[in-house]
Amino acid sequence: LTAKAKLKDIRAREALLQLSIAKNDLSYGFLSDAREAITLAALTRLTESYALRFAVVSDSARTRYSVGRGALADGSRASLSRGNFREQARKLAGQRDARLAMLNYYLRPGKSDSAGSAGQSTDSATAWLTADQGEAALQAYRARLLREIESASRAVERSALDVARRDLEVDAAREQRTLARLQYLPDFEVFAAYREREMIENDPAVGEDCYSVGLRLRVPLWSALGAGYAADSAEQFERAGQISRSDAIEHVQAQLAALRADFTSATERLALYDTRLIPDARRARESARLAYQTGRIDFFALVSSWNALYANESERIRLAGERDRLVFRMAALLNVLVPEYQTGAEK
């Protein structure tokens, strides 16, 4: 009875574990989509700002041509660059809106909420998400996740849900082996009973109440061979489960090491963009602007300096989003996003 009760408890814990895995997957999907929406919103704002800046560059090129200091083609190239940035901004805005539409799946209210309040809550949430507040809140959340990841990574066997699933498989195999051994080995039970004479139906005799004490022994003479095979098989399943658990721990550690390496690389590249690439590109653009005004370079070189700065700034935005998604993946791997399920060791 104890082994059967433990098996039922293990099945209940397996159901709870599956629910925790589903919640982690759902949370990771939401955070990834939210981060992508923030990235696309930032890229849209950056590209729109470049389109506005090239409107000024185009006017400047036309003014220089009107006073005989530039070529007519310069104004046309500036207008073309401005059009390209405007088209790119519209494309990014469409991708942003599509991602926000996907987020409505996570932000949808309950059935009891009205349609009007549903639209208002979704609009306000997406507006907050694509503004600067969303970026700041996400960075604070990322910092907290990194601290929890650092703590959870010290004991992967107590944190990762995949390892917890293997633990339950080992526990279930162990209880199955216990049941198989009970079917194979001799078993006995001690019993005691009491019956009140007046409560015995259809018994006309008058006498004392009934007391009974006994010992019952069961020896599986005929089924011993088959039950022995079942016990051996259950023991093999338990050993296989233990090997699978060790493999799961190694696999999680390998995934975690790869994600950490990618995160470290992304952090170093972001520092490179902030300290060297973007500042150098801005100085190059300013130098090109001054050189163009004095006639030392042509308009094509000036446009190239603007494009180089835009490429560095946009790549920096994309890289920041990719780094955050790496953090979310590590958090999901270590059961930090929705840490509801506890392993047997934690309990």
Side-chain angles (χ1 to χ4, degrees), residues 130-172:
T130 54
D132 294 336
Q133 300 96 312
E135 178 74 21
L138 195 62
Q139 295 310 314
Y141 181 59
R142 178 176 61 83
R144 181 173 69 83
L145 283 180
L146 284 174
R147 293 192 297 269
E148 296 179 358
I149 289 170
E150 184 65 25
S151 176
S153 60
R154 298 190 185 101
V156 172
E157 66 275 7
R158 295 200 305 268
S159 303
L161 292 178
D162 191 39
V163 178
R165 181 168 53 200
R166 299 300 192 279
D167 286 337
L168 291 179
E169 291 176 357
V170 172
D171 292 342

Side-chain angles (χ1 to χ4, degrees), residues 95-340:
Q95 294 175 348
R96 175 204 61 196
D97 294 341
R99 189 64 61 175
L100 291 175
M102 287 293 298
L103 287 176
N104 290 338
Y105 168 75
Y106 304 100
L107 301 175
R108 67 191 190 280
K111 295 182 179 179
S112 59
D113 297 333
S114 62
S117 62
Q120 293 176 359
S121 63
T122 301
D123 292 342
S124 61
T126 53
W128 175 87
L129 190 64
T130 54
D132 294 336
Q133 300 96 312
E135 178 74 21
L138 195 62
Q139 295 310 314
Y141 181 59
R142 178 176 61 83
R144 181 173 69 83
L145 283 180
L146 284 174
R147 293 192 297 269
E148 296 179 358
I149 289 170
E150 184 65 25
S151 176
S153 60
R154 298 190 185 101
V156 172
E157 66 275 7
R158 295 200 305 268
S159 303
L161 292 178
D162 191 39
V163 178
R165 181 168 53 200
R166 299 300 192 279
D167 286 337
L168 291 179
E169 291 176 357
V170 172
D171 292 342
R174 183 181 299 113
E175 299 305 324
Q176 291 288 359
R177 179 172 62 86
T178 300
L179 290 175
R181 287 176 62 86
L182 290 176
Q183 296 295 327
Y184 169 68
L185 298 175
D187 189 18
F188 71 93
E189 62 179 8
V190 179
F191 64 90
Y194 163 75
R195 292 188 297 175
E196 187 176 354
R197 175 66 66 176
E198 296 180 355
M199 301 301 296
I200 301 177
E201 297 182 0
N202 301 321
D203 188 359
V206 178
E208 299 295 333
D209 296 339
C210 296
Y211 299 89
S212 58
V213 178
L215 175 65
R216 184 178 293 116
L217 178 65
R218 183 179 65 86
V219 180
L221 297 177
W222 298 104
S223 60
L225 185 59
Y229 289 148
D232 293 340
S233 177
E235 185 175 357
Q236 294 298 326
F237 272 113
E238 182 181 358
R239 292 178 180 175
Q242 292 172 348
I243 295 174
S244 178
R245 180 183 184 277
S246 299
D247 181 71
I249 294 176
E250 294 178 359
H251 186 241
V252 171
Q253 290 174 339
Q255 285 183 294
L256 188 61
L259 291 170
R260 281 184 177 276
D262 290 340
F263 175 79
T264 301
S265 175
T267 301
E268 293 174 351
R269 290 175 60 197
L270 283 172
L272 181 63
Y273 274 105
D274 292 336
T275 58
R276 289 185 54 187
L277 295 180
I278 293 179
D280 289 349
R282 287 173 178 169
R283 286 191 290 268
R285 181 202 58 185
E286 187 62 20
S287 299
R289 184 182 66 83
L290 295 175
Y292 175 71
Q293 290 177 350
T294 58
R296 287 180 294 170
I297 62 172
D298 58 8
F299 188 75
F300 180 78
L302 176 63
V303 172
S304 297
S305 67
W306 278 91
N307 290 335
L309 177 58
Y310 173 78
N312 281 283
E313 290 180 339
S314 60
E315 182 60 26
R316 199 269 178 206
I317 292 174
R318 291 189 176 91
L319 184 58
E322 181 60 30
R323 184 183 65 167
D324 286 345
R325 281 190 290 274
L326 290 171
V327 175
F328 301 150
R329 186 72 192 100
M330 286 189 289
L333 189 65
L334 294 174
N335 190 29
V336 174
L337 290 180
V338 190
E340 293 182 353

